[in-house]
Amino acid sequence: MKKPLGLGGQGSFETILQQNSAIKQLLKQIRSHSLTDCLIILENSGYTGDLAIFILANLQSLEVGA
């Protein structure tokens, strides 16, 4: 007999929503050239130091926010 589905999947749905919100905020800040705010958003998402700067530089060079 299979185990019934629990609420364990809810956490991943909440994570997806949080990531989606962070992406929207990041793109908004890139468009307004608020680089410090972009780095804060990236760091809150787990991307720190040189990696956060690398991601931001590449997004800007691709003109993702334009």
Side-chain angles (χ1 to χ4, degrees):
M1 188 170 184
K2 288 188 176 181
K3 187 176 180 181
L5 294 175
L7 298 176
Q10 263 187 342
S12 61
F13 180 70
E14 290 173 3
T15 302
I16 291 170
L17 289 178
Q18 289 171 350
Q19 288 173 347
N20 191 26
S21 176
I23 290 169
K24 287 180 181 179
Q25 289 175 359
L26 180 61
L27 293 177
K28 180 180 176 184
Q29 296 304 325
I30 290 173
R31 284 185 205 109
S32 65
H33 301 284
S34 301
L35 303 181
T36 303
D37 293 334
C38 290
L39 289 174
I40 291 170
I41 293 168
L42 286 169
E43 287 180 356
N44 288 339
S45 298
Y47 302 100
T48 60
D50 290 340
L51 179 58
I53 295 169
F54 177 76
I55 291 170
L56 180 56
N58 280 293
L59 289 174
Q60 280 191 304
S61 70
L62 295 172
E63 298 182 10
V64 172

